[in-house]
Amino acid sequence: MASQISGNAQRIADASLTVAVKSTGVTDTAVKNSKNVNLLRFEARAGEAKDVLFTKAIFNSGSGSLNNGQNYTLWVDTDSDGKVDTILEKGQSAQNAKVTFNQL
């Protein structure tokens, strides 16, 4: 005998994360011993579910080497004004040509 479940219907939203690369500007130039150089800007937005638990970010270089840098830091813009204002994780080094932030 088959059972039937009844009650309030609940719609479950799909969890998704969209990441878009943003321009860093044409004035950013790095020379030997430069500090606080912007390497990449991106925007990440949660989809329909509104909340996404983001726990790790791994970056690798399309050209050149991340091994030449040190003390990589991941910043976030918490008030959506276009300026980063909060450090999520700092002091990371490149390992195997990748920089990993996993203490988010």
Side-chain angles (χ1 to χ4, degrees), residues 16-50:
S16 63
L17 181 67
T18 302
V19 179
V21 176
K22 305 294 276 184
S23 172
T24 58
V26 294
T27 59
D28 289 344
T29 302
V31 295
K32 188 174 182 178
N33 297 320
S34 292
K35 295 183 180 195
N36 300 321
V37 177
N38 289 322
L39 296 179
L40 173 70
R41 287 179 57 103
F42 65 93
E43 180 178 273
R45 293 200 178 265
E48 183 182 15
K50 304 284 186 226

Side-chain angles (χ1 to χ4, degrees), residues 58-61 64-68 93-100:
I58 300 173
F59 298 92
N60 61 2
S61 174
S65 174
L66 295 174
N67 293 331
N68 294 328
S93 299
Q95 295 180 357
N96 299 322
K98 295 179 183 177
V99 176
T100 301

Side-chain angles (χ1 to χ4, degrees), residues 35-104:
K35 295 183 180 195
N36 300 321
V37 177
N38 289 322
L39 296 179
L40 173 70
R41 287 179 57 103
F42 65 93
E43 180 178 273
R45 293 200 178 265
E48 183 182 15
K50 304 284 186 226
D51 291 326
V52 174
L53 180 60
F54 186 72
T55 60
K56 181 189 277 188
I58 300 173
F59 298 92
N60 61 2
S61 174
S63 64
S65 174
L66 295 174
N67 293 331
N68 294 328
Q70 56 186 328
N71 294 321
Y72 288 97
T73 302
L74 184 62
W75 288 78
V76 65
D77 174 11
T78 59
D79 56 8
S80 299
D81 67 353
K83 299 175 187 148
V84 293
D85 52 40
T86 303
I87 293 174
L88 292 183
E89 190 173 342
K90 64 182 178 177
Q92 294 303 315
S93 299
Q95 295 180 357
N96 299 322
K98 295 179 183 177
V99 176
T100 301
F101 297 98
N102 59 7
Q103 300 297 318
L104 307 176

